[in-house]
Amino acid sequence: MPKAPESTIWMDDALNYIRNHACENISVKDVMRHVDKSRKSLERHFVAVLGKTPKEVIHDERLRAVVAMVDESELAIGELAEKCSFSSHSAFTIYFKRMVGVTPTQYRASKRTAL
């Protein structure tokens, strides 16, 4: 079996790290440290492979995680905000509404009435 190119291995590692730590308010520097790559190398590979910068991927994964938690969890919105490393309930609600178009409570209610 042919060996995967090194860039594929560390890109997979970087993406898994981002997915697994999306709600921990990670930064591009955290990803750089995790895969031991420079910012330039990381950005060049992300843009070439994914068409997005590491920062954009972190943002997308955090949003995906937040939406999934609101959708699947019974935790109160304030608890979700804390779990996703937001500074406050209101910061979480503002972020969610800006990204999704409705508040977390409205989103949760619409999902439940759709069932």
Side-chain angles (χ1 to χ4, degrees):
M1 175 184 275
K3 203 171 172 187
E6 182 190 341
S7 63
T8 304
I9 295 168
W10 72 257
M11 277 289 293
D12 287 346
D13 192 27
L15 290 170
N16 284 330
Y17 178 81
I18 291 169
R19 286 183 192 113
N20 292 332
H21 299 278
C23 276
E24 295 172 21
N25 207 19
I26 61 170
S27 68
V28 174
K29 278 188 178 185
D30 295 322
V31 179
M32 289 168 44
R33 274 188 233 112
H34 181 75
V35 294
D36 195 27
K37 297 291 177 188
S38 69
R39 180 178 291 270
K40 186 174 182 174
S41 178
L42 195 67
E43 292 198 359
R44 186 175 64 244
H45 279 83
F46 268 63
V47 170
V49 173
L50 304 171
K52 296 179 179 185
T53 66
K55 186 174 183 175
E56 290 170 324
V57 173
I58 291 168
H59 178 267
D60 290 351
E61 283 301 316
R62 188 176 196 202
L63 179 60
R64 182 202 55 75
V66 163
V67 170
M69 288 176 77
V70 170
D71 196 22
E72 299 164 6
S73 172
E74 293 298 322
L75 291 174
I77 301 303
E79 291 176 272
L80 291 176
E82 186 177 317
K83 195 169 185 167
C84 285
S85 302
F86 283 86
S87 58
S88 67
H89 177 283
S90 61
F92 177 76
T93 299
I94 290 167
Y95 170 82
F96 194 95
K97 185 170 183 177
R98 186 179 64 216
M99 302 311 299
V100 179
V102 295
T103 67
T105 303
Q106 291 167 330
Y107 180 84
R108 190 178 265 174
S110 72
K111 289 293 187 175
R112 290 191 178 139
T113 56
L115 297 178

